[in-house]
Amino acid sequence: MASKSAAIEVEVAGHSVRLSSPEKIYFAERGFTKHDVFSYYLAVGDGILRALHRRPTTLQRFPDGLDGETFFQKRVPTRGVPPWVETSTITFPSGRTADELAVADLAHVAWASQLGTIVFHPWPVRSADPEAPDELRIDLDPQPGTDFADAVTVAGVAKEIFDELGWVAFPKTSGGRGVHIYVRIKPEWTFVQVRRAAIALGREIERRRPDMATTSWWKEERGERVFIDFNQMARDRTIACAYSLRANPRATVSTPVTWDELTRVEPNDFDLATVPPRFAAIGDPHASIDDVAHDLTPLLEWVERDERDGQADMPYPPDHPKMEGEPKRVQPSRARPEA
């Protein structure tokens, strides 16, 4: 009889996936093993597959568990990869390319889990058209002095706006103190246009609740408010997907919720142990997310309105090439006075 530490073979989506060292501890504080992580992803399979399907995905790997070395893998290895593993070519801001994992079925998720992947970071595009985002992502990030409850309040403002637009938006916990909101959009616009649309939406939220929300890129200007991180829509910036575990000692999960639930839950309600039975009982609150893709035009009209009012583009992430029309990347307290 094989020992518990021996590798096992698991049939997933018609493929045999080898799981080595299943009893290796991955989350020491909770005692969760590599096998627990593997089994978790199978238990929420329909949900995470909906979030990852045909999306180029960066893998955040912890081959020796949370207490060991971690790295982000953007390129699928060229050796030792099953022949059924699919990839998608993405282009970084630098112009370089990479073949990332493109999740075609649940076996791809299981295979990534075998590699020590704890967090899945998909691009907001599909493999069929990796230059055209089909997902608008709103990342609400509480700043010092604010918390999850504040992010929930700001999310409520965003929902008011989406309702006015006639758009269907889907919230989830980030797995930490924040809230993520996803909206499917038609894949007809560039990364630059979708990012500018996210800025315009963020500015509208900020106008309605300037006391609680901010789009200020520079931390020194944010104060005790929730930051609307518009740069999560920049090329090569990703967010942990729905049902992804997070790399923290509690093994929390970025969990889809209904809008009604959002006001009643706490991030620690959702972890590796609690989400599978929840999923089995109620299914996926994001089950209808692919039913409609919205026209981005209203937000692009807001971009034009903001520009007429003197609100142009915002700084890109520091590792991003300088973009046309982008303001200086220098925090206000260090900016030299204009001559």
Side-chain angles (χ1 to χ4, degrees):
M1 182 175 179
S3 67
K4 288 185 177 180
S5 61
I8 59 176
E9 296 283 336
V10 182
E11 189 79 7
V12 184
H15 300 289
S16 181
V17 180
R18 183 176 185 270
L19 179 65
S20 62
S21 304
E23 297 306 312
K24 181 183 292 185
I25 296 296
Y26 266 25
F27 291 89
E29 182 176 299
R30 305 290 303 278
F32 296 141
T33 65
K34 182 178 182 180
H35 190 273
D36 291 329
V37 172
F38 186 90
S39 298
Y40 163 80
Y41 280 121
L42 297 186
V44 297
D46 287 347
I48 195 163
L49 187 57
R50 184 173 292 109
L52 292 175
H53 193 238
R54 303 293 181 184
R55 296 191 184 280
T57 300
T58 299
L59 308 177
Q60 187 175 0
R61 294 177 55 187
F62 295 80
D64 294 314
L66 201 65
D67 294 334
E69 178 188 3
T70 181
F71 58 94
F72 289 85
Q73 182 162 340
K74 297 188 176 185
R75 291 177 170 82
V76 170
T78 56
R79 296 181 180 179
V81 179
W84 46 263
V85 168
E86 297 186 22
T87 62
S88 177
T89 302
I90 49 88
T91 303
F92 299 119
S94 65
R96 294 180 298 108
T97 62
D99 292 331
E100 289 204 331
L101 182 69
V103 174
D105 54 33
L106 191 56
H108 286 67
V109 178
W111 175 76
S113 178
Q114 148 63 17
L115 296 180
T117 300
I118 288 179
V119 190
F120 289 84
H121 297 266
W123 282 48
V125 300
R126 306 281 186 175
S127 301
D129 193 354
E131 293 300 311
D134 73 332
E135 192 167 67
L136 178 67
R137 300 171 175 176
I138 307 302
D139 181 9
L140 304 179
D141 182 12
Q143 300 302 289
T146 64
D147 56 20
F148 178 74
D150 296 308
V152 169
T153 298
V154 174
V157 179
K159 185 178 187 300
E160 291 175 2
I161 296 171
F162 289 130
D163 287 346
E164 292 167 11
L165 292 169
W167 291 11
V168 184
F170 295 82
K172 67 182 181 73
T173 65
S174 69
R177 299 190 309 141
V179 173
H180 299 156
I181 306 171
Y182 285 11
V183 177
R184 290 287 194 265
I185 58 174
K186 296 177 181 179
E188 298 175 357
W189 295 276
T190 66
F191 276 99
V192 170
Q193 289 173 306
V194 177
R195 175 182 170 276
R196 290 299 302 276
I199 293 173
L201 178 67
R203 283 171 169 161
E204 182 61 25
I205 296 171
E206 188 176 21
R207 289 186 193 100
R208 299 188 185 198
R209 287 303 304 263
D211 58 322
M212 294 200 68
T214 179
T215 57
S216 296
W217 178 245
W218 305 109
K219 291 182 180 180
E220 65 185 30
E221 295 185 329
R222 293 176 189 171
E224 294 185 1
R225 293 179 289 179
V226 175
F227 173 50
I228 305 164
D229 190 355
F230 53 85
N231 268 332
Q232 293 294 7
M233 286 308 312
R235 181 187 290 273
D236 195 30
R237 294 294 288 262
T238 58
I239 298 176
C241 73
Y243 297 104
S244 176
L245 290 163
R246 301 310 310 267
N248 59 51
R250 283 197 52 78
T252 60
V253 173
S254 184
T255 306
V257 294
T258 67
W259 283 104
D260 287 340
E261 280 185 301
L262 185 61
T263 62
R264 305 193 305 269
V265 300
E266 293 291 337
N268 284 343
D269 293 341
F270 307 115
D271 61 29
L272 185 152
T274 62
V275 171
R278 166 186 164 86
F279 190 86
I282 71 169
D284 182 8
H286 285 193
S288 62
I289 194 170
D290 291 315
D291 288 357
V292 60
H294 295 290
D295 185 340
L296 198 63
T297 301
L299 293 190
L300 295 177
E301 291 173 349
W302 291 4
V303 171
E304 295 176 355
R305 176 198 64 187
D306 290 346
E307 289 181 340
R308 289 194 299 269
D309 293 340
Q311 292 185 305
D313 203 353
M314 301 279 274
Y316 273 77
D319 57 349
H320 203 286
K322 184 71 174 178
M323 298 293 287
E324 182 179 355
E326 179 189 359
K328 294 180 179 179
R329 294 185 196 174
V330 56
Q331 63 191 63
S333 63
R334 295 185 178 182
R336 294 181 180 179
E338 295 292 338

